[in-house]
């Protein structure tokens, strides 16, 4: 019986670990959506305040870059924003 209870415990640990690994991508995706949404709202508000319209794709490009910077490259918001604004300016030009 000891062998079977150890096997059951090992299986339980494996399944628990698999559940945690499955939760990690879901949580990262949720964080990405939150960061991208907040970024897009802020950019749209800034453009509206300046009475300008961003080029097509600029907001998505910039906000995807910011979320990648924060989640993948572990940059702060300010670091990611600085890098991404420079990249967006190179790609879309100055507005």
């Amino acid at each position: 019986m000891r062998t079977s209870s150890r096997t059951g415990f090992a299986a339980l640990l494996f399944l628990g670990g698999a559940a945690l690994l499955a939760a990690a991508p879901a949580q990262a995706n949720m964080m990405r959506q939150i960061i991208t949404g907040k970024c897009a709202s802020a950019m749209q508000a800034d453009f509206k305040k300046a009475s300008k319209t961003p080029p097509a794709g600029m907001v998505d490009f910039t906000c995807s870059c910011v979320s990648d910077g924060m989640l993948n490259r572990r940059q702060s918001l300010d670091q990611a924003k600085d890098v991404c604004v420079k990249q967006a300016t190179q790609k879309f030009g100055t507005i």
Side-chain angles (χ1 to χ4, degrees), residues 40-90:
S41 294
M43 283 187 72
Q44 293 291 1
D46 287 346
F47 278 108
K48 185 176 181 177
K49 186 176 179 180
S51 298
K52 295 184 178 183
T53 302
M58 182 182 209
V59 172
D60 289 338
F61 175 86
T62 306
C63 293
S64 291
C65 177
V66 169
S67 65
D68 286 343
M70 292 180 72
L71 297 173
N72 297 336
R73 295 185 299 273
R74 305 288 185 210
Q75 295 171 324
S76 70
L77 173 60
D78 289 336
Q79 290 170 327
K81 184 178 169 184
D82 288 344
V83 168
C84 297
V85 167
K86 287 176 187 171
Q87 289 179 4
T89 301
Q90 289 175 346

Side-chain angles (χ1 to χ4, degrees), residues 4-7 16 19 22-23 30 33 45-46 60 71 78 85 92-94:
S4 65
S5 66
R6 283 186 187 168
T7 303
M30 185 186 327
Q33 289 176 349
D46 287 346
D60 289 338
L71 297 173
D78 289 336
V85 167
F92 295 96
T94 305

Side-chain angles (χ1 to χ4, degrees), residues 14-25:
F14 176 76
L15 291 174
L20 286 175
L21 290 175

